[in-house]
Amino acid sequence: MPSSTGPSIDTITEGGRVTQVGEGQEAEETAPPVMTFGAPTVGELLAERYELVEHINNDSAGRLVWRGVDVVLRRPVAVVLRYPGGDSATEMLQAAVAASRVIHPNLVGVYDAIDEADRAYVVREWVDGQSLREMVAADGPLDPARATAIGNAVASALAAVHATGMVHGNLHPGTVMISDDGRVVLADARTDGADSQENDLRAVGGVLYFALTGHWPHGEAPLHGATAGHGRAAIPDAVRDASGAIAAPRQVRAGVPAYLDDLTMDLLDPEIAPPSSDVLAAELSRLDVPTDDHFLEPTGPLRFTAEPGEEPSPLAVAGGRKVAVGVAGLLAVALVGLLIGISMLGGDDKKQPTEPVARPSSSAPAGAGSTPAAQVRKLTIQDVRIIDPESRDRAEVKNAEKVIDGDENEGWATASYRNNGKFGGLKKGMGVWIDLGAPHTVKSLEAVLSSPGASAQLLAGTKDFPSSKLGDTQLVASYTTQIGQPFEKYGTTMTFTGFDPEQKYRYLLFWITELPEKDSGDGWKLGVQEITVQGS
């Protein structure tokens, strides 16, 4: 977990008004920066589009959080500003650039990062809501269903971050934010290089523990440098025995299911290697069900670890130290792969279970008739080409093979268009057609783009068409089924998820409907550097 080398962002509610303040260090509203040159003012317009509306807070590291408005897109934004800029703002800007590359519904969107020398600022999504820290402080520990849903959302966000090779490095109850509409988002990743993906996963255990008990399991001397967030003393330390070992959630509070207790404690145990974030997200997604439904199938939950004689789970295979038997049985019941679970919180129901919701896993060994779920993997793209039915120049459809060559430095690009991002009004769109070779269940499609700001759809069809202008016209007319949910526009990686698990697809069309403006202001253009498809 992270070292506290810089502030993070959180939301708190003051008198009914939602605010977003620094979390990594103690906030000091009455301690403005000593320097005044570069200080922002109400009504000031940054970068000719971000109007500063209200100073929310500042912290001892010199960062100021403002509520602002993007006057171009007419939406609220959060502006995190520090002055001076330059070297002192390097970490903040690097973290923002890295975060902008990952688009996921459970990550706060980063829109812009600008260094003007006398000051630097990051523009990100404004979230109306509160942090997990504030929610638990106001309402008490969460019911197991809601804690599981939050853990699922956090693990899913980490899976998206880890898939790029990056680390979040700043996960604690202050950076887990719950919006007013129930969306869970993870804010303020860091790029100081002091952390690892394993520490991120340990932090998920800490967040689950806090959500279930209202206590932070890492105390005043945090494990792996984790911070407890704004006002560390404001979060009660976990109950401990004489040796300093923390009490399990079930020992602190009644009604915590055994499987959730075991999973939380295993994630916090430094002697047990945690599973990968995508495996953890898949397991929490499986457990994330409405409170008024049964938590689990009659077969009972899969366990992170297993005592002798118990059936281990895929999480145990990912690194549990207690697994001694049942490897052959595990292969018969393995159900999780690389699915990034996306789960929305369902209302404010805090109904507690009145009886145990999990049976011992030993009561449900894998039967001979059980069917293992297909493992998610990177699918092989058999063929790819550029679709452009309204083109006047067929040269623009060349280099399609570069979007599947494994090299993000080379790809296919559109021509430059004048007047607007809708291909200058000359065409309705262009696309990359994909042939998977055979029908597959699709879990995700990821497109690495040359710049942020593009809009696209993912369409499906049932057959191929000749590679010609006429064939392209027939293909676009035939591919009318829009599939997947895009998370797009403010990063260079566009991801589609939320596919129907009962459907299989062979032919896909990544259809671009709007181009981003080039940095030089010389028209609108987009490059597609790489496309990958995950499925089974």
Side-chain angles (χ1 to χ4, degrees):
M1 292 181 207
S3 58
S4 184
T5 58
S8 63
I9 298 171
D10 182 29
T11 65
I12 64 174
T13 303
E14 297 178 349
R17 179 172 59 85
V18 173
T19 60
Q20 309 196 12
V21 301
E23 263 296 318
Q25 301 189 33
E26 195 72 39
E28 298 178 0
E29 294 188 40
T30 59
V34 174
M35 296 182 62
T36 58
F37 181 70
T41 58
V42 173
E44 185 175 358
L45 196 63
L46 305 180
E48 299 183 349
R49 69 178 296 177
Y50 306 115
E51 181 181 355
L52 298 179
V53 175
E54 180 185 13
H55 175 216
I56 300 303
N57 214 313
N58 53 273
D59 58 45
S60 57
R63 299 193 331 171
L64 294 82
V65 179
W66 282 72
R67 179 170 62 87
V69 174
D70 183 337
V71 299
V72 176
L73 297 179
R74 299 183 181 277
R75 63 177 175 184
V77 294
V79 180
V80 184
L81 183 147
R82 69 175 302 148
Y83 57 94
D87 293 341
S88 66
T90 298
E91 181 185 332
M92 179 182 79
L93 295 172
Q94 287 178 342
V97 171
S100 70
R101 295 174 54 196
V102 187
I103 308 301
H104 191 275
N106 300 120
L107 290 170
V108 168
V110 177
Y111 303 152
D112 216 339
I114 299 173
D115 187 358
E116 296 178 346
D118 60 322
R119 61 185 174 185
Y121 45 92
V122 173
V123 182
R124 66 166 177 82
E125 177 184 2
W126 176 268
V127 179
D128 283 326
Q130 58 186 330
S131 69
L132 176 62
R133 177 179 62 81
E134 284 292 318
M135 174 179 283
V136 171
D139 302 326
L142 308 183
D143 63 78
R146 202 167 194 197
T148 301
I150 289 176
N152 176 26
V154 169
S156 298
L158 287 181
V161 172
H162 291 176
T164 68
M166 295 191 297
V167 174
H168 185 273
N170 196 26
L171 173 57
H172 56 75
T175 55
V176 178
M177 302 163 64
I178 298 92
S179 70
D180 291 340
D181 62 2
R183 176 182 167 220
V184 179
V185 289
L186 185 55
D188 208 20
R190 287 219 288 265
T191 58
D192 54 15
D195 259 281
S196 66
Q197 293 186 0
E198 178 177 336
N199 291 345
D200 279 349
L201 291 159
R202 301 289 186 202
V204 178
V207 166
L208 284 172
Y209 190 97
F210 177 77
L212 291 167
T213 68
H215 295 265
W216 184 241
H218 303 308
E220 291 297 324
L223 178 67
H224 302 303
T227 61
H230 170 65
R232 190 176 296 176
I235 300 181
D237 187 18
V239 177
R240 300 175 184 272
D241 62 20
S243 66
I246 64 174
R250 297 182 78 190
Q251 296 173 302
V252 178
R253 176 185 173 214
V256 176
Y259 69 87
L260 192 56
D261 186 273
D262 291 332
L263 174 59
T264 300
M265 294 303 290
D266 286 343
L267 286 171
L268 293 173
D269 190 338
E271 295 187 26
I272 301 178
S276 62
S277 52
D278 46 20
V279 170
L280 178 59
E283 179 69 351
L284 285 168
S285 178
R286 189 182 73 87
L287 301 176
D288 180 12
V289 298
T291 25
D292 52 357
D293 291 346
H294 293 295
F295 263 77
L296 303 166
E297 296 297 327
T299 54
L302 297 179
R303 292 284 302 280
F304 181 13
T305 59
E307 302 294 347
E310 289 185 342
E311 192 70 37
S313 78
L315 296 180
V317 162
R321 65 166 161 49
K322 304 175 188 175
V323 179
V325 295
V327 174
L330 170 65
L331 295 177
V333 299
L335 59 82
V336 291
L338 303 177
L339 171 64
I340 296 177
I342 299 174
S343 176
M344 299 302 293
L345 289 175
D348 295 324
D349 185 9
K350 296 186 177 181
K351 178 181 177 182
Q352 294 285 355
T354 56
E355 58 184 56
V357 295
R359 300 178 183 177
S361 55
S362 57
S363 66
S370 60
T371 302
Q375 184 173 2
V376 178
R377 58 185 172 83
K378 179 180 177 181
L379 300 179
T380 300
I381 297 177
Q382 298 292 339
D383 192 16
V384 62
R385 68 174 184 263
I386 307 304
I387 303 300
D388 189 9
E390 298 172 281
S391 174
R392 300 177 183 178
D393 181 4
R394 299 302 292 174
E396 199 174 359
V397 303
K398 295 181 178 179
N399 300 320
E401 68 282 354
K402 292 184 178 181
V403 306
I404 58 170
D405 62 359
D407 183 1
E408 293 184 6
N409 294 318
E410 292 190 0
W412 163 80
T414 70
S416 292
Y417 290 84
R418 301 284 185 178
N419 300 325
N420 59 60
K422 295 185 179 296
F423 297 89
L426 300 175
K427 59 181 72 173
K428 295 180 180 179
M430 293 182 66
V432 181
W433 175 82
I434 298 165
D435 180 5
L436 298 175
H440 289 276
T441 299
V442 177
K443 298 298 183 183
S444 68
L445 180 144
E446 180 178 280
V448 178
L449 309 177
S450 60
S451 57
S455 293
Q457 302 171 338
L458 189 61
L459 306 172
T462 58
K463 67 176 186 176
D464 189 6
F465 289 87
S467 179
S468 64
K469 188 171 181 178
L470 176 59
D472 287 1
T473 301
Q474 293 173 318
L475 188 146
V476 171
S478 174
Y479 283 45
T480 57
T481 303
Q482 186 171 339
I483 60 174
Q485 173 63 46
F487 307 115
E488 57 165 337
K489 203 151 189 175
Y490 302 108
T492 56
T493 301
M494 185 179 295
T495 304
F496 291 80
T497 60
F499 296 88
D500 184 347
E502 303 300 322
Q503 293 292 325
K504 292 189 175 183
Y505 307 97
R506 173 175 176 175
Y507 302 114
L508 305 175
L509 178 61
F510 177 71
W511 185 246
I512 303 163
T513 57
E514 187 169 358
L515 306 173
E517 190 171 9
K518 294 169 65 176
D519 292 340
S520 62
D522 185 23
W524 283 259
K525 182 177 182 179
L526 179 68
V528 180
Q529 307 303 109
E530 195 72 19
I531 290 180
T532 55
V533 181
Q534 298 278 346
S536 58

